[in-house]
Amino acid sequence: MKQQKRAGVVTMFLALYAFWLILASRFTTAQLIAGVLVAALIVLYGFDMMFSRDEASSLTIKRMWRFVVLFLVFLREMIKANIAVAIIVMSPKMKLEPHFKRIRQPLKKALNQTLYGNAITLTPGTLTVLMDSDSLVVHGLRRPNIDAIEGGAIQQAFVNIEEDGQ
Amino acid sequence: MIDIVRDVLIGFCLISGVFFYLVGAVGLIRMPDVFCRMHATTKADTLGAGLIFVGLIIYFGFSFASLNVLVVLIFVWLTMPTAAHAVARSEYENQHLDKTEEGR
């Protein structure tokens, strides 16, 4: 357990430091030292907020590939969502049927649930309002939007990630 | 030839990105309540920012600046829905909608 925590701290520190170096994009001594200080400070302050290992599914090659698939599916859905919302906004008479609906969610790991909630917010006329471990409250701009979530392509892609990727 | 294609691609990305930002702003004004407004801003702005950043990446080519822009893009895409969720949730609880069963 302690070993695992140490590994987590080191990973987080290295990731933050790499992030700092990319953003700084100059490699003077001052930049390098400031990066170490800032990264260490953030690890110290924010380590408890990070997802622990058992809240995320372990990363296998197959899962990485499925994440790529998920990203492509998500990109396609998001572009469709944007065009749909743009049409609604720009039409002279906005036809809206705003409503809330509680939907069940199939995911178990906290990290996947978070990503799923965010993905719903970014797809056609849906917005995640509340979420807990087994359901989400979603606000929809139009009725067909919410009905498309359950059993939709994005949900399927998330379920694929969660099941055993051996 | 390649240069012209590149310029057209950059122009297309920037102009459509700006268009989606415009849609987001118009939606923010026209929509009737908080939740609908969040729909307009999150969606349009995400694709708007995405297209503008992709245009910038093509413009900078394969360089450190592109990497910067890519990192910023990832963070915008992570934070935008999170912020929208926070706003929507606080409004939901503010109106005590959580006490009614399935909402309206």
Side-chain angles (χ1 to χ4, degrees):
Chain A
M1 194 62 206
K2 200 148 194 181
Q3 195 95 32
Q4 232 176 45
K5 190 180 171 185
R6 196 173 299 149
V9 168
V10 171
T11 319
M12 186 178 169
F13 177 80
L14 289 180
L16 284 170
Y17 196 50
F19 180 48
W20 168 271
L21 289 181
I22 289 173
L23 283 188
S25 58
R26 273 174 300 157
F27 302 102
T28 61
T29 322
Q31 294 280 1
L32 297 181
I33 294 173
V36 172
L37 289 179
V38 173
L41 214 64
I42 295 176
V43 171
L44 204 67
Y45 177 70
F47 184 72
D48 295 338
M49 295 180 214
M50 291 299 289
F51 290 107
S52 67
R53 188 153 299 187
D54 45 328
E55 281 172 327
S57 27
S58 58
L59 215 55
T60 56
I61 302 282
K62 204 164 184 176
R63 277 227 179 84
M64 283 186 204
W65 169 244
R66 282 175 178 174
F67 264 112
V68 173
V69 171
L70 167 67
F71 184 72
L72 293 178
V73 170
F74 165 70
L75 217 56
R76 192 189 69 203
E77 295 295 317
M78 197 189 73
I79 290 170
K80 281 201 295 197
N82 273 283
I83 294 169
V85 171
I87 290 172
I88 294 176
V89 169
M90 287 305 190
S91 62
K93 269 194 259 172
M94 287 191 300
K95 269 200 200 159
L96 300 176
E97 318 163 85
H99 62 290
F100 295 96
K101 192 175 176 189
R102 183 178 288 275
I103 61 167
R104 291 168 47 71
Q105 63 144 339
L107 305 170
K108 290 185 186 64
K109 305 275 186 181
L111 179 62
N112 296 343
Q113 289 172 354
T114 311
L115 289 176
Y116 185 53
N118 276 358
I120 286 178
T121 301
L122 291 177
T123 44
T126 50
L127 178 67
T128 310
V129 178
L130 291 179
M131 66 184 300
D132 52 46
S133 54
D134 51 24
S135 67
L136 297 165
V137 175
V138 177
H139 181 261
L141 216 46
R142 287 193 171 164
R143 296 227 167 252
N145 299 144
I146 285 187
D147 301 332
I149 294 176
E150 281 183 292
I154 288 188
Q155 192 189 47
Q156 194 52 50
F158 270 102
V159 170
N160 283 347
I161 281 176
E162 190 138 289
E163 73 189 18
D164 265 334
Q166 298 307 319
Chain B
M1 186 59 199
I2 286 288
D3 272 0
I4 296 173
V5 173
R6 220 187 80 174
D7 285 355
V8 169
L9 214 59
I10 294 171
F12 172 78
C13 284
L14 292 184
I15 290 171
S16 45
V18 169
F19 169 74
F20 279 111
Y21 258 109
L22 181 72
V23 169
V26 171
L28 191 62
I29 296 170
R30 289 192 70 195
M31 292 291 193
D33 67 355
V34 175
F35 299 108
C36 297
R37 286 181 173 171
M38 295 322 293
H39 281 289
T41 50
T42 48
K43 259 142 249 158
D45 284 7
T46 327
L47 191 59
L51 281 167
I52 289 175
F53 286 150
V54 167
L56 284 178
I57 288 172
I58 300 170
Y59 176 77
F60 286 129
F62 193 74
S63 73
F64 220 80
S66 295
L67 198 60
N68 275 352
V69 174
L70 193 67
V71 170
V72 172
L73 176 61
I74 292 170
F75 272 76
V76 167
W77 277 12
L78 280 178
T79 51
M80 203 92 89
T82 312
H85 170 69
V87 172
R89 180 183 170 156
S90 64
E91 174 68 9
Y92 191 83
E93 281 166 1
N94 220 5
Q95 292 184 3
H96 302 292
L97 293 173
D98 50 336
K99 301 220 165 54
T100 62
E101 256 306 292
E102 291 295 294
R104 47 186 153 141

